[in-house]
């Protein structure tokens, strides 16, 4: 999981703008965009996060859109790394890895233990009934 944190404005700095749980992830003005930004200079489908064939997260920007990655004009498909700053219009977003939420395995462990006990019990039952005959 990844997250985008706002870094541009003083009032919103440090706020999580979006958590990316699935790729592709689209930033733009459209209602279908995963992160909607309604500011000047942002296109309907401005930028897209996706996986490249090597499994890296890359960002693609529409060729006519001006997007900046770490103060350099974004051209084509560019791999991202934690800490990269993407500037789209007046908004700057920092790309980061988000913390992993661990699930409580207790229920799954208990079900596994019950399955093992049932399996061993059934084996003992079948052996006992086979030997009794």
């Amino acid at each position: 999981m990844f997250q985008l944190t706002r870094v541009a404005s003083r009032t919103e700095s440090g706020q999580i703008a979006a958590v990316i749980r699935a790729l592709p992830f689209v930033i733009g003005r459209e209602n279908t965009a995963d992160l909607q930004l309604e500011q000047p200079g942002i296109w309907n489908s401005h930028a897209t996060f996706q996986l490249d064939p090597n499994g890296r997260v890359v960002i693609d920007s529409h060729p006519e859109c001006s997007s900046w990655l770490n103060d350099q004009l974004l051209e084509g498909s560019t791999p991202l790394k934690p800490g990269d700053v993407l500037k789209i219009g007046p908004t700057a977003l920092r790309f980061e890895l988000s913390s992993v939420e661990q699930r409580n395995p207790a229920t799954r462990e208990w079900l596994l233990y019950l399955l093992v006990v049932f399996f061993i019990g059934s084996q003992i039952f079948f052996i006992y009934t086979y030997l009794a005959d």
Side-chain angles (χ1 to χ4, degrees):
M1 229 179 338
F2 313 100
Q3 68 185 29
L4 297 174
T5 307
R6 293 184 190 273
V7 293
S9 67
R10 293 181 186 156
T11 58
E12 297 177 335
S13 184
Q15 291 181 352
I16 295 176
V19 176
I20 303 172
R21 290 189 170 89
L23 296 174
F25 184 90
V26 178
I27 299 175
R29 288 178 165 254
E30 288 183 339
N31 292 338
T32 58
D34 298 298
L35 176 59
Q36 294 178 7
L37 299 174
E38 294 289 332
Q39 293 143 334
I42 297 176
W43 289 45
N44 287 341
S45 180
H46 199 99
T48 304
F49 293 88
Q50 55 192 353
L51 288 177
D52 72 358
N54 297 325
R56 298 178 300 179
V57 177
V58 295
I59 185 163
D60 288 320
S61 182
H62 191 280
E64 297 176 8
C65 301
S66 61
S67 301
W68 299 81
L69 185 64
N70 300 327
D71 295 325
Q72 293 190 0
L73 186 62
L74 185 63
E75 295 180 12
S77 190
T78 306
L80 292 170
K81 60 188 180 304
D84 281 349
V85 176
L86 173 66
K87 189 163 191 284
I88 297 177
T91 302
L93 302 166
R94 178 174 286 122
F95 176 79
E96 299 172 348
L97 297 175
S98 52
S99 59
V100 177
E101 298 174 16
Q102 294 184 351
R103 297 180 183 165
N104 186 355
T107 305
R108 196 173 300 164
E109 286 178 10
W110 277 105
L111 289 173
L112 181 62
Y113 293 142
L114 287 173
L115 183 64
V116 168
V117 167
F118 174 75
F119 179 74
I120 292 172
S122 64
Q123 293 299 313
I124 292 171
F125 174 76
F126 287 124
I127 290 171
Y128 177 72
T129 55
Y130 179 74
L131 291 177
D133 288 339

